[in-house]
């Protein structure tokens, strides 16, 4: 069965500093990976996705992520954080199971931005 | 506009009552999902459905039931057997295949009073 680990529960960065959120996955076949962002009391919005090809993927709001198969990682990065980036971030892995397409999420990383 | 609509946004339930959360999508997606979100636990899968009249248990299905009579609708019933139902519930839908992303509704916050 697939699983996702986000080792950092909370991260605080200063506005303008760089950001890296960690994500490790476990899946026996080719993973389909996603990063989502959630504002308080809201649904999730897709930031970016990786299916195949170039291991560095670009997303919305200036985010990017790099897929590293050897490390089973899919870390999210942003060169310069804005105060509006404060939110909760979720990494997810998609997999084809006997019951269909299953999407499994990590426990999330809460990002706080200091002005 | 295409999207997913969850209703109501807030729901209060007395202990021992069943309640049903609505989820409707007009994205023509085949797959639909229900997740439960608790602080510090991320999103946990309750049920998912790939086609009409078929659905699968997720990781925490006990105390919940679903139906999928129409492609557009995937209601979730929280039964009295669910011991700790207070949580934020999210519905999602997804196109065919693994190479598609899920789209989420705005969620329903259920509180047991």
């Amino acid at each position: 069965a697939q699983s996702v680990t986000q080792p950092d529960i909370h991260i605080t960065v200063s506005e303008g500093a760089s950001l890296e959120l960690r994500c490790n996955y476990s899946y026996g076949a080719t993973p389909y990976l996603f990063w989502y962002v959630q504002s308080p009391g809201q649904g999730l919005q897709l930031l970016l996705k990786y299916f195949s090809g170039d291991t560095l993927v670009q997303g919305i709001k200036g985010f990017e992520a790099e897929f590293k198969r050897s490390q089973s990682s899919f870390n999210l990065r942003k060169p310069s954080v804005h105060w509006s980036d404060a939110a909760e971030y979720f990494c997810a892995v998609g997999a084809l199971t006997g019951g269909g397409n299953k999407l499994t999420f990590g426990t999330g990383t809460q990002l706080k931005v200091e002005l | 506009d295409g999207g997913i609509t969850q209703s109501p946004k807030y729901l209060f339930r007395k202990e021992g009552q069943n309640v049903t959360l609505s989820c409707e999508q007009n994205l023509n997606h085949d797959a639909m999902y229900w997740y439960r979100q608790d602080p510090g636990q991320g999103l946990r899968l309750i049920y998912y459905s790939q086609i009409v009249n078929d659905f699968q248990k997720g990781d925490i299905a006990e105390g919940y039931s679903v139906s999928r009579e129409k492609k557009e609708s995937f209601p979730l019933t929280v039964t009295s057997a669910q011991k700790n139902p207070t949580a934020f519930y999210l519905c999602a839908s997804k196109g065919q295949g693994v190479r598609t992303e899920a789209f989420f509704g705005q969620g329903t916050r259920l509180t047991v009073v």
Side-chain angles (χ1 to χ4, degrees):
Chain A
Q2 68 271 29
S3 66
V4 176
T5 301
Q6 293 181 249
D8 303 307
I9 299 173
H10 296 99
I11 283 185
T12 300
V13 298
S14 299
E15 189 175 38
S18 63
L19 172 70
E20 183 170 32
L21 301 182
R22 295 184 291 166
C23 172
N24 292 97
Y25 68 89
S26 173
Y27 183 56
T30 301
Y32 302 99
L33 298 161
F34 308 84
W35 274 101
Y36 285 85
V37 61
Q38 184 184 35
S39 297
Q42 301 295 313
L44 275 68
Q45 180 185 22
L46 181 72
L47 284 175
L48 48 79
K49 58 191 176 188
Y50 172 79
F51 296 147
S52 64
D54 194 347
T55 56
L56 185 63
V57 294
Q58 303 296 322
I60 62 171
K61 304 184 180 186
F63 285 93
E64 66 179 26
E66 186 171 12
F67 170 63
K68 292 185 178 180
R69 186 184 297 275
S70 61
Q71 298 177 20
S72 298
S73 69
F74 188 56
N75 294 349
L76 182 72
R77 300 195 294 247
K78 187 169 185 177
S80 177
V81 170
H82 189 262
W83 63 267
S84 60
D85 293 325
E88 190 156 21
Y89 292 79
F90 292 95
C91 182
V93 60
L96 195 59
T97 69
N101 295 317
K102 190 175 179 183
L103 194 59
T104 300
F105 286 82
T107 51
T109 297
Q110 187 74 46
L111 174 66
K112 180 180 176 182
V113 180
E114 290 182 333
L115 301 176
Chain B
D1 286 335
I4 301 176
T5 302
Q6 288 187 242
S7 61
K9 189 170 177 63
Y10 299 96
L11 187 57
F12 296 89
R13 187 194 96 171
K14 292 183 179 180
E15 286 193 24
Q17 282 184 337
N18 293 351
V19 289
T20 297
L21 284 60
S22 170
C23 179
E24 304 275 336
Q25 55 100 358
N26 60 4
L27 301 168
N28 199 33
H29 284 166
D30 290 307
M32 296 188 74
Y33 304 79
W34 274 107
Y35 290 90
R36 170 180 171 141
Q37 186 176 20
D38 297 282
Q41 299 194 51
L43 278 71
R44 293 182 290 167
L45 183 63
I46 304 173
Y47 270 97
Y48 59 114
S49 168
Q50 300 298 301
I51 56 172
V52 173
N53 293 322
D54 186 51
F55 46 82
Q56 307 294 326
K57 290 183 179 180
D59 301 316
I60 56 163
E62 185 175 352
Y64 299 97
S65 66
V66 293
S67 62
R68 187 85 186 275
E69 297 177 359
K70 299 186 299 182
K71 187 176 185 178
E72 302 79 17
S73 178
F74 191 42
L76 173 74
T77 297
V78 184
T79 75
S80 57
Q82 170 50 237
K83 298 305 179 189
N84 185 21
T86 294
F88 190 54
Y89 292 87
L90 286 162
C91 178
S93 71
K94 191 171 178 297
Q96 279 192 349
V98 288
R99 293 182 175 230
T100 57
E101 67 265 30
F103 292 82
F104 282 82
Q106 293 299 296
T108 293
R109 183 163 299 281
L110 173 64
T111 304
V112 173
V113 297

mmCIF file of all heavy atoms in Angstrom, chain B residues 22-46:
data_model
loop_
_atom_site.group_PDB
_atom_site.id
_atom_site.type_symbol
_atom_site.label_atom_id
_atom_site.label_comp_id
_atom_site.label_asym_id
_atom_site.label_seq_id
_atom_site.Cartn_x
_atom_site.Cartn_y
_atom_site.Cartn_z
ATOM 1 N N SER B 22 -23.797 16.399 1.699
ATOM 2 C CA SER B 22 -24.009 16.375 0.266
ATOM 3 C C SER B 22 -22.731 16.743 -0.490
ATOM 4 O O SER B 22 -21.961 17.603 -0.051
ATOM 5 C CB SER B 22 -25.116 17.364 -0.107
ATOM 6 O OG SER B 22 -25.212 17.540 -1.497
ATOM 7 N N CYS B 23 -22.518 16.095 -1.632
ATOM 8 C CA CYS B 23 -21.419 16.426 -2.523
ATOM 9 C C CYS B 23 -21.902 16.267 -3.962
ATOM 10 O O CYS B 23 -22.335 15.174 -4.359
ATOM 11 C CB CYS B 23 -20.220 15.524 -2.282
ATOM 12 S SG CYS B 23 -18.837 15.873 -3.394
ATOM 13 N N GLU B 24 -21.847 17.343 -4.721
ATOM 14 C CA GLU B 24 -22.280 17.335 -6.114
ATOM 15 C C GLU B 24 -21.171 17.917 -6.979
ATOM 16 O O GLU B 24 -20.555 18.915 -6.611
ATOM 17 C CB GLU B 24 -23.534 18.195 -6.292
ATOM 18 C CG GLU B 24 -24.712 17.808 -5.415
ATOM 19 C CD GLU B 24 -25.548 16.705 -6.011
ATOM 20 O OE1 GLU B 24 -25.528 16.544 -7.251
ATOM 21 O OE2 GLU B 24 -26.227 15.988 -5.239
ATOM 22 N N GLN B 25 -20.940 17.300 -8.151
ATOM 23 C CA GLN B 25 -19.933 17.824 -9.074
ATOM 24 C C GLN B 25 -20.493 17.887 -10.492
ATOM 25 O O GLN B 25 -21.288 17.041 -10.891
ATOM 26 C CB GLN B 25 -18.649 16.982 -9.031
ATOM 27 C CG GLN B 25 -18.828 15.488 -9.289
ATOM 28 C CD GLN B 25 -18.497 15.029 -10.685
ATOM 29 O OE1 GLN B 25 -18.135 15.835 -11.554
ATOM 30 N NE2 GLN B 25 -18.624 13.736 -10.932
ATOM 31 N N ASN B 26 -20.076 18.913 -11.201
ATOM 32 C CA ASN B 26 -20.488 19.055 -12.605
ATOM 33 C C ASN B 26 -19.278 19.058 -13.528
ATOM 34 O O ASN B 26 -19.295 19.692 -14.583
ATOM 35 C CB ASN B 26 -21.345 20.310 -12.788
ATOM 36 C CG ASN B 26 -20.610 21.570 -12.415
ATOM 37 O OD1 ASN B 26 -19.425 21.537 -12.090
ATOM 38 N ND2 ASN B 26 -21.303 22.697 -12.453
ATOM 39 N N LEU B 27 -18.241 18.350 -13.120
ATOM 40 C CA LEU B 27 -17.005 18.239 -13.890
ATOM 41 C C LEU B 27 -16.994 17.011 -14.792
ATOM 42 O O LEU B 27 -16.003 16.749 -15.469
ATOM 43 C CB LEU B 27 -15.807 18.193 -12.931
ATOM 44 C CG LEU B 27 -15.660 19.411 -12.024
ATOM 45 C CD1 LEU B 27 -14.645 19.146 -10.921
ATOM 46 C CD2 LEU B 27 -15.252 20.626 -12.857
ATOM 47 N N ASN B 28 -18.061 16.237 -14.744
ATOM 48 C CA ASN B 28 -18.162 14.990 -15.499
ATOM 49 C C ASN B 28 -17.057 13.994 -15.106
ATOM 50 O O ASN B 28 -16.583 13.206 -15.928
ATOM 51 C CB ASN B 28 -18.114 15.248 -17.010
ATOM 52 C CG ASN B 28 -18.661 14.067 -17.812
ATOM 53 O OD1 ASN B 28 -19.574 13.368 -17.364
ATOM 54 N ND2 ASN B 28 -18.102 13.832 -18.979
ATOM 55 N N HIS B 29 -16.670 14.040 -13.839
ATOM 56 C CA HIS B 29 -15.645 13.124 -13.360
ATOM 57 C C HIS B 29 -16.268 11.788 -12.973
ATOM 58 O O HIS B 29 -17.361 11.725 -12.416
ATOM 59 C CB HIS B 29 -14.941 13.721 -12.137
ATOM 60 C CG HIS B 29 -13.969 14.800 -12.483
ATOM 61 N ND1 HIS B 29 -13.449 15.654 -11.544
ATOM 62 C CD2 HIS B 29 -13.405 15.150 -13.660
ATOM 63 C CE1 HIS B 29 -12.603 16.478 -12.120
ATOM 64 N NE2 HIS B 29 -12.573 16.206 -13.413
ATOM 65 N N ASP B 30 -15.506 10.727 -13.248
ATOM 66 C CA ASP B 30 -15.982 9.398 -12.879
ATOM 67 C C ASP B 30 -15.748 9.106 -11.391
ATOM 68 O O ASP B 30 -16.572 8.480 -10.738
ATOM 69 C CB ASP B 30 -15.258 8.330 -13.704
ATOM 70 C CG ASP B 30 -15.676 8.365 -15.164
ATOM 71 O OD1 ASP B 30 -16.890 8.307 -15.427
ATOM 72 O OD2 ASP B 30 -14.794 8.463 -16.035
ATOM 73 N N ALA B 31 -14.595 9.516 -10.880
ATOM 74 C CA ALA B 31 -14.221 9.148 -9.512
ATOM 75 C C ALA B 31 -14.595 10.238 -8.518
ATOM 76 O O ALA B 31 -14.458 11.428 -8.795
ATOM 77 C CB ALA B 31 -12.719 8.883 -9.438
ATOM 78 N N MET B 32 -15.070 9.799 -7.363
ATOM 79 C CA MET B 32 -15.374 10.723 -6.276
ATOM 80 C C MET B 32 -14.874 10.133 -4.969
ATOM 81 O O MET B 32 -14.805 8.909 -4.801
ATOM 82 C CB MET B 32 -16.875 11.028 -6.215
ATOM 83 C CG MET B 32 -17.387 11.761 -7.454
ATOM 84 S SD MET B 32 -19.076 12.328 -7.337
ATOM 85 C CE MET B 32 -18.908 13.724 -6.220
ATOM 86 N N TYR B 33 -14.532 11.032 -4.033
ATOM 87 C CA TYR B 33 -13.874 10.630 -2.795
ATOM 88 C C TYR B 33 -14.437 11.413 -1.614
ATOM 89 O O TYR B 33 -14.817 12.571 -1.755
ATOM 90 C CB TYR B 33 -12.366 10.937 -2.868
ATOM 91 C CG TYR B 33 -11.656 10.313 -4.032
ATOM 92 C CD1 TYR B 33 -11.724 10.869 -5.304
ATOM 93 C CD2 TYR B 33 -10.898 9.165 -3.858
ATOM 94 C CE1 TYR B 33 -11.070 10.290 -6.380
ATOM 95 C CE2 TYR B 33 -10.228 8.576 -4.923
ATOM 96 C CZ TYR B 33 -10.319 9.144 -6.179
ATOM 97 O OH TYR B 33 -9.670 8.569 -7.236
ATOM 98 N N TRP B 34 -14.415 10.775 -0.441
ATOM 99 C CA TRP B 34 -14.687 11.461 0.817
ATOM 100 C C TRP B 34 -13.488 11.281 1.729
ATOM 101 O O TRP B 34 -13.002 10.167 1.934
ATOM 102 C CB TRP B 34 -15.927 10.887 1.499
ATOM 103 C CG TRP B 34 -17.202 11.500 1.039
ATOM 104 C CD1 TRP B 34 -18.136 10.944 0.242
ATOM 105 C CD2 TRP B 34 -17.685 12.816 1.382
ATOM 106 N NE1 TRP B 34 -19.181 11.830 0.044
ATOM 107 C CE2 TRP B 34 -18.932 12.967 0.742
ATOM 108 C CE3 TRP B 34 -17.197 13.859 2.175
ATOM 109 C CZ2 TRP B 34 -19.694 14.132 0.851
ATOM 110 C CZ3 TRP B 34 -17.944 15.012 2.289
ATOM 111 C CH2 TRP B 34 -19.189 15.142 1.633
ATOM 112 N N TYR B 35 -13.043 12.430 2.279
ATOM 113 C CA TYR B 35 -11.952 12.437 3.236
ATOM 114 C C TYR B 35 -12.421 13.081 4.530
ATOM 115 O O TYR B 35 -13.250 13.991 4.531
ATOM 116 C CB TYR B 35 -10.759 13.247 2.711
ATOM 117 C CG TYR B 35 -10.032 12.609 1.563
ATOM 118 C CD1 TYR B 35 -10.403 12.856 0.244
ATOM 119 C CD2 TYR B 35 -8.955 11.758 1.792
ATOM 120 C CE1 TYR B 35 -9.732 12.269 -0.812
ATOM 121 C CE2 TYR B 35 -8.270 11.173 0.741
ATOM 122 C CZ TYR B 35 -8.665 11.435 -0.548
ATOM 123 O OH TYR B 35 -7.986 10.850 -1.595
ATOM 124 N N ARG B 36 -11.791 12.636 5.599
ATOM 125 C CA ARG B 36 -12.000 13.259 6.889
ATOM 126 C C ARG B 36 -10.694 13.938 7.285
ATOM 127 O O ARG B 36 -9.610 13.351 7.122
ATOM 128 C CB ARG B 36 -12.380 12.196 7.922
ATOM 129 C CG ARG B 36 -12.385 12.703 9.344
ATOM 130 C CD ARG B 36 -12.770 11.636 10.331
ATOM 131 N NE ARG B 36 -12.551 12.115 11.688
ATOM 132 C CZ ARG B 36 -13.352 11.867 12.706
ATOM 133 N NH1 ARG B 36 -14.431 11.096 12.540
ATOM 134 N NH2 ARG B 36 -13.087 12.346 13.902
ATOM 135 N N GLN B 37 -10.791 15.149 7.827
ATOM 136 C CA GLN B 37 -9.596 15.874 8.231
ATOM 137 C C GLN B 37 -9.693 16.237 9.697
ATOM 138 O O GLN B 37 -10.656 16.875 10.131
ATOM 139 C CB GLN B 37 -9.419 17.151 7.379
ATOM 140 C CG GLN B 37 -8.123 17.876 7.658
ATOM 141 C CD GLN B 37 -7.908 19.064 6.751
ATOM 142 O OE1 GLN B 37 -8.833 19.590 6.153
ATOM 143 N NE2 GLN B 37 -6.670 19.499 6.621
ATOM 144 N N ASP B 38 -8.697 15.827 10.451
ATOM 145 C CA ASP B 38 -8.553 16.182 11.853
ATOM 146 C C ASP B 38 -7.201 16.850 12.029
ATOM 147 O O ASP B 38 -6.238 16.503 11.336
ATOM 148 C CB ASP B 38 -8.633 14.933 12.747
ATOM 149 C CG ASP B 38 -9.973 14.239 12.656
ATOM 150 O OD1 ASP B 38 -10.909 14.741 13.286
ATOM 151 O OD2 ASP B 38 -10.090 13.222 11.945
ATOM 152 N N PRO B 39 -7.090 17.773 12.978
ATOM 153 C CA PRO B 39 -5.808 18.469 13.176
ATOM 154 C C PRO B 39 -4.662 17.485 13.383
ATOM 155 O O PRO B 39 -4.754 16.576 14.214
ATOM 156 C CB PRO B 39 -6.070 19.304 14.427
ATOM 157 C CG PRO B 39 -7.536 19.516 14.447
ATOM 158 C CD PRO B 39 -8.137 18.258 13.884
ATOM 159 N N GLY B 40 -3.593 17.671 12.647
ATOM 160 C CA GLY B 40 -2.404 16.848 12.811
ATOM 161 C C GLY B 40 -2.476 15.469 12.184
ATOM 162 O O GLY B 40 -1.501 14.711 12.261
ATOM 163 N N GLN B 41 -3.614 15.142 11.553
ATOM 164 C CA GLN B 41 -3.735 13.796 10.963
ATOM 165 C C GLN B 41 -3.880 13.832 9.455
ATOM 166 O O GLN B 41 -4.049 12.778 8.824
ATOM 167 C CB GLN B 41 -4.914 13.051 11.589
ATOM 168 C CG GLN B 41 -4.764 12.843 13.092
ATOM 169 C CD GLN B 41 -5.736 11.831 13.630
ATOM 170 O OE1 GLN B 41 -5.846 10.717 13.110
ATOM 171 N NE2 GLN B 41 -6.460 12.192 14.669
ATOM 172 N N GLY B 42 -3.842 14.974 8.867
ATOM 173 C CA GLY B 42 -3.961 15.054 7.423
ATOM 174 C C GLY B 42 -5.340 14.654 6.949
ATOM 175 O O GLY B 42 -6.332 14.773 7.682
ATOM 176 N N LEU B 43 -5.412 14.161 5.729
ATOM 177 C CA LEU B 43 -6.675 13.720 5.149
ATOM 178 C C LEU B 43 -6.701 12.201 5.143
ATOM 179 O O LEU B 43 -5.792 11.566 4.604
ATOM 180 C CB LEU B 43 -6.818 14.227 3.711
ATOM 181 C CG LEU B 43 -7.301 15.656 3.523
ATOM 182 C CD1 LEU B 43 -6.249 16.663 3.945
ATOM 183 C CD2 LEU B 43 -7.712 15.891 2.083
ATOM 184 N N ARG B 44 -7.728 11.650 5.721
ATOM 185 C CA ARG B 44 -7.874 10.199 5.735
ATOM 186 C C ARG B 44 -9.075 9.799 4.892
ATOM 187 O O ARG B 44 -10.154 10.370 5.038
ATOM 188 C CB ARG B 44 -8.015 9.708 7.179
ATOM 189 C CG ARG B 44 -6.752 9.907 8.008
ATOM 190 C CD ARG B 44 -6.919 9.358 9.405
ATOM 191 N NE ARG B 44 -7.857 10.161 10.185
ATOM 192 C CZ ARG B 44 -8.366 9.772 11.348
ATOM 193 N NH1 ARG B 44 -8.058 8.579 11.841
ATOM 194 N NH2 ARG B 44 -9.192 10.565 12.008
ATOM 195 N N LEU B 45 -8.870 8.797 4.056
ATOM 196 C CA LEU B 45 -9.870 8.392 3.078
ATOM 197 C C LEU B 45 -10.966 7.566 3.731
ATOM 198 O O LEU B 45 -10.686 6.556 4.388
ATOM 199 C CB LEU B 45 -9.191 7.606 1.950
ATOM 200 C CG LEU B 45 -10.052 7.147 0.797
ATOM 201 C CD1 LEU B 45 -10.647 8.334 0.055
ATOM 202 C CD2 LEU B 45 -9.232 6.280 -0.153
ATOM 203 N N ILE B 46 -12.219 7.980 3.511
ATOM 204 C CA ILE B 46 -13.352 7.267 4.095
ATOM 205 C C ILE B 46 -13.922 6.268 3.073
ATOM 206 O O ILE B 46 -14.006 5.075 3.338
ATOM 207 C CB ILE B 46 -14.459 8.248 4.521
ATOM 208 C CG1 ILE B 46 -13.914 9.298 5.490
ATOM 209 C CG2 ILE B 46 -15.627 7.498 5.168
ATOM 210 C CD1 ILE B 46 -14.911 10.404 5.811
#
